[in-house]
Amino acid sequence: MKMLWKSAIAAGVVAASLSSAANAEEEKGFYVGGNAFYTQVFDADGTATVEAGGVLDGLPLLGDLLGGLLGGTSGSANFETSYDEDIGYGLTLGYKFTGPWRAEFEYRSQENDIDSVDSGVASFSSDSTLETTSMLGNLWYDFNMEEAIRPYVGFGLGMANVDTGSGDDDVVIGQLGAGVSWFLSPRLALDIGYRFAMADDPSYENGGTKVDSEYGSQSVMAGVRYNFFDAQYGVQDEDGDGVPDESDQCLGTPKGVQVDSVGCPLDGDNDGVADYLDKCPNTPAGAKVNAEGCSIDSDNDGVADDDDVCPNTPAGERVMSNGCAEQQSVVLRGVNFELDSAQLTVNAETILDSVATTLNDSPGFDVELQGHTDSTGSDSYNMNLSQNRAQSVKNYLSDQGVSSSRLTAKGYGETQPVASNETRAGRSENRRVELKVVGQDEGVMMEEEVYMPSDEEDEDPYNYMPEDEAADEEEAADEEMMEEEAAEEEAAEETSYDYDYDYEEESSTEEAAPAEEEESSSDAAEEAEDFDYIP
């Protein structure tokens, strides 16, 4: 029996080592089972040998047979043993791998009565019993893994102790098997199968008598198996969201969470954060959000980055609804004007409607509306044009309900460029209207410099142009140089704008006025490329 237990331990080690190869996926884990066997032991041929002086007494199976055959002396005799069919039992401990394989340790005990012993010359009945105790390591392969009924095949190898009552022997035993597992629930299965077993020839020695025999059997069995995991079969829905696992693109959804047709949690605002995790469920489409579904506010000023036109506000500063604080400014991109005038375009008025909304939503702030030009044209012309355009923006915002006491219009002409005036793109950047937050509203009208045209000038202040006669000789020389540069630029860049300068070298100060107007027209044509303001 010592050998048998050593082999049992070895079989257990093999099963454990196989189980360690399993990976962490769905259907896998340990199980236990109990089986009943109805076993037929095949008739076995054997040889009994009695040495000189051997004792036949105490051999319940062969004593009478050998005594009759050998006359109580030494010698040997051949015989065949017949066995009755009987019931035995078994216990199993197994491990189900991910996939079709199972490793199993099996303990089985079986008793079969010895019916008779026949030497060919004489036959004797017997009341002895053949007891077989075996321990095996089995490996089974299951079919139809997605079904409740799963056929299987496999084999086992181990040790058996065969005891006839006259002696016993530990032998190597192997078996082949097949069967069907029928899952009554994900954890409980019926097991019905067939086993065919063969062992090494057992040998017994007792009192100088040696018996060599054979062992083989076949069994039908029925049992139950309990899993410590849930078997997966039929339509699987592991997360219980109502979408089968084979169609579920978001496995593992928490219980009770509403999902769409492919098993993914609903995301009403399409911000990439599921509704059940979204603390800001109405985020505007396309907005960048954090892990909680709320719009990102990098400078922590209370205005989301997507709406913040001043994204680097210092910590703690009070801001307007567009995210701008005191001493911060933003270019009103898209606020353009008609050619050579301060008359707003239709698109500019649309942009300023949004600016007015921002200002009305931020009543505690005063702002300065700044007009800027490029360097084309005289200083005085640019200063006047920028002032008039800033005033035009103020007038429009006032008409939209913004208190004029909160607004200052100021022209800066060409004095604050933000890009080079040597290129068309740079000049386009320099022609702009900016909104600068200048302080907190204290209910006091701010002073501003407003250009007022004289009675002799155009009655429409938006179309005001300074008198050419007021330009001195230095301005005329500057205008002459700019006309030449504009002509060269037109030829080099092959622009679609038609400057059409008609300049004569000996022109008078009166003739300089149309040239200056044409220069301004060129400015206005480029100003159509101004910027967009996103409130």
Side-chain angles (χ1 to χ4, degrees), residues 274-293:
D275 287 350
Y276 78 99
L277 297 174
D278 200 335
K279 294 184 178 179
C280 301
N282 298 313
T283 306
K288 295 180 180 179
V289 299
N290 57 22
E292 296 179 339

Side-chain angles (χ1 to χ4, degrees), residues 5-152:
W5 286 105
K6 289 180 181 178
S7 298
I9 294 172
V13 169
V14 170
S17 64
L18 288 172
S19 67
S20 65
N23 54 39
E25 292 182 15
E26 44 185 31
E27 183 182 318
K28 68 182 183 65
F30 287 96
Y31 64 86
V32 294
N35 303 314
F37 295 87
Y38 185 75
T39 303
Q40 176 189 28
V41 177
F42 302 131
D43 292 348
D45 294 333
T47 301
T49 302
V50 179
E51 299 178 356
V55 179
L56 297 178
D57 294 338
L59 299 179
L61 174 61
L62 300 175
D64 294 337
L65 174 62
L66 294 176
L69 291 175
L70 301 176
T73 63
S74 63
S76 63
N78 296 324
F79 62 89
E80 182 177 359
T81 306
S82 299
Y83 304 92
D84 288 338
E85 298 170 358
D86 212 336
I87 295 176
Y89 66 91
L91 299 173
T92 58
L93 170 64
Y95 187 88
K96 168 71 173 60
F97 301 107
T98 299
W101 291 100
R102 290 184 285 124
E104 182 180 88
F105 171 75
E106 177 184 7
Y107 169 84
R108 189 191 307 177
S109 179
Q110 180 74 45
E111 291 186 0
N112 293 88
D113 293 335
I114 298 174
D115 183 39
S116 66
V117 179
D118 188 354
S119 67
V121 177
S123 179
F124 296 87
S125 61
S126 174
D127 58 1
S128 298
T129 300
L130 177 67
E131 297 181 4
T132 307
T133 303
S134 57
M135 297 183 183
L136 302 102
N138 301 321
L139 191 62
W140 307 115
Y141 184 92
D142 294 317
F143 299 91
N144 296 341
M145 289 298 298
E146 297 180 355
E147 304 297 333
I149 298 178
R150 305 179 186 180
Y152 67 88

Side-chain angles (χ1 to χ4, degrees), residues 254-533:
K255 299 292 184 183
V257 172
Q258 291 185 315
V259 299
D260 57 20
S261 60
V262 294
C264 293
L266 297 181
D267 179 13
D269 54 8
N270 295 313
D271 61 0
V273 178
D275 287 350
Y276 78 99
L277 297 174
D278 200 335
K279 294 184 178 179
C280 301
N282 298 313
T283 306
K288 295 180 180 179
V289 299
N290 57 22
E292 296 179 339
C294 296
S295 297
I296 296 174
D297 179 13
S298 300
D299 54 7
N300 296 313
D301 61 359
V303 179
D305 287 357
D306 291 320
D307 300 321
D308 198 335
V309 296
C310 296
N312 298 313
T313 304
E317 292 287 334
R318 184 174 170 230
V319 299
M320 297 199 304
S321 62
N322 66 354
C324 292
E326 188 172 339
Q327 299 307 311
Q328 289 186 314
S329 62
V330 58
V331 176
L332 303 184
R333 300 182 185 276
V335 176
N336 303 324
F337 301 88
E338 299 293 344
L339 186 65
D340 274 343
S341 80
Q343 179 65 49
L344 291 164
T345 64
V346 174
N347 181 66
E349 292 179 349
T350 301
I351 300 295
L352 290 177
D353 287 341
S354 297
V355 175
T357 299
T358 297
L359 293 171
N360 286 327
D361 290 341
S362 310
F365 293 88
D366 298 332
V367 298
E368 180 179 84
L369 304 168
Q370 302 177 347
H372 301 271
T373 69
D374 61 26
S375 62
T376 305
S378 68
D379 292 348
S380 61
Y381 172 78
N382 288 334
M383 188 63 72
N384 289 329
L385 180 62
S386 65
Q387 177 64 46
N388 287 339
R389 288 182 169 180
Q391 185 64 39
S392 178
V393 171
K394 175 182 176 179
N395 293 342
Y396 186 85
L397 294 176
S398 296
D399 292 342
Q400 305 309 308
V402 182
S403 173
S404 61
S405 65
R406 299 173 54 201
L407 305 175
T408 299
K410 187 172 182 179
Y412 289 88
E414 60 187 76
T415 62
Q416 296 183 3
V418 294
S420 172
N421 281 304
E422 299 301 319
T423 64
R424 184 168 59 182
R427 291 191 296 274
S428 180
E429 289 286 335
N430 290 332
R431 294 189 304 274
R432 66 197 187 279
V433 175
E434 291 188 23
L435 181 150
K436 181 178 180 181
V437 183
V438 294
Q440 302 298 312
D441 184 6
E442 299 178 355
V444 180
M445 177 73 76
M446 294 181 294
E447 296 183 0
E448 61 184 0
E449 296 180 3
V450 180
Y451 179 82
M452 298 298 294
S454 66
D455 295 338
E456 298 177 356
E457 295 168 339
D458 194 330
E459 294 180 357
D460 183 358
Y462 294 132
N463 290 326
Y464 171 74
M465 300 293 289
E467 292 185 28
D468 296 331
E469 290 77 8
D472 57 18
E473 294 182 0
E474 182 179 354
E475 291 175 347
D478 290 340
E479 291 166 1
E480 179 180 352
M481 180 178 297
M482 285 186 290
E483 288 176 358
E484 293 175 355
E485 290 176 352
E488 291 174 0
E489 182 179 339
E490 179 184 13
E493 297 180 0
E494 296 183 354
T495 177
S496 61
Y497 300 99
D498 185 8
Y499 295 98
D500 193 22
Y501 283 96
D502 186 14
Y503 176 77
E504 295 183 7
E505 185 174 345
E506 300 297 330
S507 62
S508 65
T509 56
E510 292 181 355
E511 292 172 335
E516 183 174 332
E517 272 190 344
E518 291 176 5
E519 194 73 37
S520 303
S521 299
S522 176
D523 285 346
E526 289 189 30
E527 287 170 8
E529 302 177 19
D530 218 334
F531 307 100
D532 295 328
Y533 170 70

Side-chain angles (χ1 to χ4, degrees), residues 222-267:
V224 293
R225 188 165 77 242
Y226 179 81
N227 297 331
F228 294 102
F229 59 91
D230 289 333
Q232 308 294 315
Y233 56 85
V235 176
Q236 299 300 314
D237 182 12
E238 181 180 350
D239 52 12
D241 60 2
V243 179
D245 289 350
E246 61 183 9
S247 302
D248 199 331
Q249 297 181 13
C250 299
L251 293 172
T253 304
K255 299 292 184 183
V257 172
Q258 291 185 315
V259 299
D260 57 20
S261 60
V262 294
C264 293
L266 297 181
D267 179 13

